[in-house]
Amino acid sequence: MKTTIVKAFGTEAANAPLHSMNIKRRELLPHDVEMEIFYCGICHSDLHQIKNEFGGATFPMVPGHEIVGKVSKVGGNVRTFKVGDLAAIGCIIDSCGKCEYCNDDLEQFCDQGVTFSFNSPDKHLGGATYGGFSESYIADEKYVLHVPQTLDLGSAAPLLCAGITVYSPLKHWHAGPGKMVGILGIGGLGHVAIKIAKAMGAHVVVFTTSPSKVEDAKRLGADEAVLSTDAEQLKKYARKMHFIIDTVSAKHDVNTYLNLLRHDGSVVLVGLPPEALEVKAFSIVTGRHSFSGSNIGGIAETQEMLDFCDGHHITADVEIIQIQQVNKAFERLQRGDVHYRFVVDMHSLSN
Ligand code: NAP
Ligand code: ZN
Ligand code: ZN
């Protein structure tokens, strides 16, 4: 297959710094859309992966899966995009399209294994897929999203992963009027979760380990914010929460939060701590609680989320950086020093 060389930023090995590199993109197939990348967000999953914290990572690796830009070329059979349209790519760029999950718009659970936008087996070129820290991306139009014109592109980029990852469980567990919804951890995912849960009409309670975020959570729209390291403050919420979205990226005690649930409530894990988490029997049998999880969302739901965020004027709070600052940004993300998402201006690749 013919390929084109494009500029990118990636890493050769776990824990090695990212640097400028050239990568190959496939030639345009009849159903493919080529997108010029304007912005790409930095998710904690990018950080887990460049450190190979889940094992099995493929190097060289070009991370980035919160990708927005403009369509620069379309294949002969493309019907849903034209050159110049705003477009976005999130975590998913392919799936079997035939299994029960794909048929139900749940491509993230595809029987054949979903293809992620980076560090996933590349069906066309072999090796691994390369992500959004690059000039351009090529994907089948079925996996490309339409970005509403009114959303600010740089601050909309994080919706492609952070947004859908919290929208999907908030909807599934019925966030809305009369529901006490907890958000645990206020980083990229958590701060967008506050905004979306509030827009859905829920009463939003934030649990954070960072004293500085207690006040800021209210600015972001939370009704209440609690310093989770203070057991006294937590007591007030015992048996009050309908469900809690847990976005914490590192090992933590989930039993503390299971004990805040009403009967039939759930702690929904979306964070991906590499270490196993311990669930105590009495944290779940008492009150018929559950400890559950959720993984991004399907393509149709991602489009629905973008349209929902457009309707409610929701974007992320971002710090726009140049690609040359990406290693510093990863260090700051590791320390929790980000309010609340780094987004790379991808035109800086040509600096
Ligand atoms: P992030 O911006 O780094 O935010 C994580 C937040 O977790 C931090 O801001 C901090 O919030 C809290 N935290 C971190 N370490 C902690 C610790 N040791 N104990 C307690 N709290 C701690 O990360 P993100 O981009 O939002 O991603 C969050 C997690 O979700 C990552 O593991 C990421 O890989 C995962 N993820 C999963 C999916 C999925 O589909 N399931 C999709 C995207 C991301 P406070 O300062 O408020 O305590
Ligand atoms: Zn992500
Ligand atoms: Zn499938």
Side-chain angles (χ1 to χ4, degrees):
M1 173 180 263
K2 276 206 284 194
T3 55
T4 319
I5 303 286
V6 304
K7 285 187 203 147
F9 238 71
T11 176
E12 307 287 348
N15 296 306
L18 277 72
H19 61 85
S20 171
M21 56 171 67
N22 289 328
I23 56 166
K24 288 179 185 164
R25 292 289 186 206
R26 69 174 182 249
E27 68 178 331
L28 215 60
L29 300 174
H31 287 283
D32 279 349
V33 167
E34 181 193 81
M35 194 179 132
E36 177 192 348
I37 302 176
F38 288 8
Y39 295 100
C40 185
I42 303 183
C43 174
H44 206 112
S45 299
D46 295 312
L47 181 59
H48 288 308
Q49 293 282 12
I50 60 171
K51 293 166 74 186
N52 195 15
E53 288 186 337
F54 304 132
T58 306
F59 295 94
M61 183 190 296
V62 174
H65 55 279
E66 294 181 335
I67 309 167
V68 294
K70 250 186 193 169
V71 174
S72 43
K73 275 187 205 153
V74 291
N77 292 346
V78 169
R79 295 288 167 264
T80 52
F81 285 92
K82 59 182 190 323
V83 171
D85 284 353
L86 295 178
I89 289 174
C91 305
I92 299 175
I93 54 146
D94 206 359
S95 65
C96 84
K98 295 188 222 105
C99 72
E100 115 182 58
Y101 296 105
C102 286
N103 284 334
D104 284 348
D105 291 325
L106 295 168
E107 297 90 349
Q108 69 272 34
F109 308 134
C110 175
D111 267 345
Q112 305 297 314
V114 64
T115 304
F116 292 112
S117 40
F118 82 103
N119 195 34
S120 224
D122 187 323
K123 287 183 194 165
H124 300 274
L125 299 182
T129 52
Y130 292 128
F133 292 178
S134 56
E135 284 178 296
S136 61
Y137 208 105
I138 292 177
D140 187 299
E141 63 177 324
K142 276 193 289 194
Y143 301 89
V144 183
L145 289 308
H146 290 272
V147 182
Q149 291 279 351
T150 43
L151 284 179
D152 173 71
L153 270 195
S155 37
L159 299 178
L160 275 302
C161 176
I164 183 60
T165 300
V166 296
Y167 179 87
S168 185
L170 284 168
K171 194 176 158 198
H172 185 82
W173 272 270
H174 309 295
K179 293 285 174 67
M180 289 271 280
V181 174
I183 309 292
L184 178 52
I186 307 306
L189 269 56
H191 92 287
V192 176
I194 297 174
K195 298 182 189 196
I196 294 179
K198 200 59 207 156
M200 289 175 168
H203 184 92
V204 177
V205 183
V206 156
F207 301 97
T208 175
T209 59
S210 306
S212 66
K213 294 183 191 168
V214 172
E215 272 313 302
D216 213 25
K218 294 189 184 149
R219 177 188 63 81
L220 291 165
D223 296 287
E224 301 177 56
V226 184
L227 191 61
S228 54
T229 46
D230 181 346
E232 273 310 301
Q233 285 191 42
L234 284 179
K235 268 189 197 161
K236 187 176 150 202
Y237 298 92
R239 303 162 67 94
K240 293 277 190 303
M241 307 306 302
H242 286 88
F243 67 97
I244 297 174
I245 306 282
D246 179 348
T247 78
V248 175
S249 51
K251 191 169 167 75
H252 58 290
D253 182 14
V254 294
N255 299 286
T256 306
Y257 303 97
L258 287 164
N259 292 330
L260 302 185
L261 297 172
R262 289 166 58 87
H263 67 280
D264 292 335
S266 189
V267 168
V268 184
L269 185 69
V270 292
L272 300 171
E275 308 84 359
L277 302 175
E278 183 183 81
V279 176
K280 291 185 180 156
F282 285 101
S283 303
I284 51 173
V285 300
T286 309
R288 206 161 48 193
H289 297 156
S290 63
F291 181 56
S292 51
S294 185
N295 195 25
I296 47 173
I299 295 296
E301 196 175 35
T302 305
Q303 188 63 58
E304 176 187 308
M305 174 278 308
L306 284 172
D307 297 337
F308 177 92
C309 288
D310 184 37
H312 291 86
H313 311 294
I314 294 172
T315 52
D317 287 25
V318 301
E319 184 175 334
I320 304 276
I321 62 162
Q322 311 283 296
I323 192 70
Q324 292 75 14
Q325 299 168 288
V326 74
N327 291 306
K328 265 270 162 318
F330 274 122
E331 278 169 42
R332 283 182 54 195
L333 182 59
Q334 179 73 55
R335 292 201 298 273
D337 175 20
V338 46
H339 297 89
Y340 284 91
R341 198 59 139 188
F342 289 115
V343 171
V344 184
D345 175 351
M346 216 43 75
H347 288 130
S348 59
L349 269 174
S350 36
N351 290 352

